[in-house]
Amino acid sequence: MKFYQRFAYYLIGLVIGCFFVAAVWSGKDTRCNYFPNARVLNDLRNKPFLYDIEASRRLSEDWVDTTDIKNVLTYGDVDFDKSNIKEEGGKLYIIYGKTSKNKDITLEVINYPEKAVLRNIIKNDKPN
C-alpha cells in the first residue's frame, strides 16, 4: 500500500474519531475543577446565593454592584489561611477580587450545605 493510501485511511479514521468524541462530549456539562480555589468558587456559584443585611447595605452604595459580586465568585481568589472557619452551621470563606472599576474588594461568604450567604463586602483602599 502506498503512502498516500495509508495517509487517506488515517485521515478518514481521524475524522470519524473526532465526530464520535464531539458527539459524546457535546451534551455534557463538564467542568475540570481540580484545584481547591475553583472547587470552592464553583460550589458557591451553584447554590442559591443570598445577601445579608450588611451586604445589602453595601450593594446600595455606588461603588459595587451584583455583577461585581458574580465576577469575584467566578475569577476571585479564596484566602484559605483565613477561610474554612466553622461559623453558624456553615463555613466562612474570604474571597479577594476586583470591581468593574478595578477597585479591590473582599467578600465574606458563609457556605451552608443548602445555600451560600454573602455576609459582608469590604472595600480595600490602598494608600497612595
Side-chain angles (χ1 to χ4, degrees), residues 37 41-42 44-45 49 64-78 94-100 103-109 118 121:
N37 191 62
L41 293 177
N42 187 40
L44 293 174
R45 283 193 311 266
F49 199 77
V64 68
D65 60 1
T66 55
T67 56
D68 295 330
I69 303 301
K70 289 179 184 177
N71 285 337
V72 170
L73 289 176
T74 304
Y75 303 109
D77 294 320
V78 179
I94 307 296
I95 305 168
Y96 300 116
K98 292 186 179 277
T99 65
S100 58
K103 305 272 182 174
D104 291 331
I105 61 172
T106 302
L107 303 181
E108 294 178 357
V109 180
L118 179 61
I121 306 167

Side-chain angles (χ1 to χ4, degrees), residues 7-118:
F7 189 67
Y9 280 123
Y10 170 76
L11 286 179
I12 291 171
L14 181 69
V15 169
I16 291 172
C18 287
F19 280 125
F20 280 121
V21 169
V24 168
W25 289 100
S26 66
K28 298 188 185 259
D29 185 24
T30 57
R31 292 184 182 92
C32 299
N33 294 328
Y34 294 116
F35 297 110
N37 191 62
R39 286 184 186 188
V40 169
L41 293 177
N42 187 40
D43 186 40
L44 293 174
R45 283 193 311 266
N46 288 333
K47 290 182 179 180
F49 199 77
L50 306 173
Y51 298 94
D52 198 1
I53 296 168
E54 181 66 25
S56 298
R57 187 177 68 77
R58 299 286 177 141
L59 284 171
S60 66
E61 298 172 2
D62 192 28
W63 58 274
V64 68
D65 60 1
T66 55
T67 56
D68 295 330
I69 303 301
K70 289 179 184 177
N71 285 337
V72 170
L73 289 176
T74 304
Y75 303 109
D77 294 320
V78 179
D79 186 356
F80 286 102
D81 291 336
K82 297 178 184 175
S83 298
N84 211 5
I85 300 169
K86 302 260 189 229
E87 189 165 312
E88 303 171 10
K91 292 181 180 180
L92 174 69
Y93 288 102
I94 307 296
I95 305 168
Y96 300 116
K98 292 186 179 277
T99 65
S100 58
K101 298 174 185 172
N102 208 20
K103 305 272 182 174
D104 291 331
I105 61 172
T106 302
L107 303 181
E108 294 178 357
V109 180
I110 301 176
N111 188 11
Y112 295 103
E114 69 281 349
K115 64 183 176 181
V117 177
L118 179 61

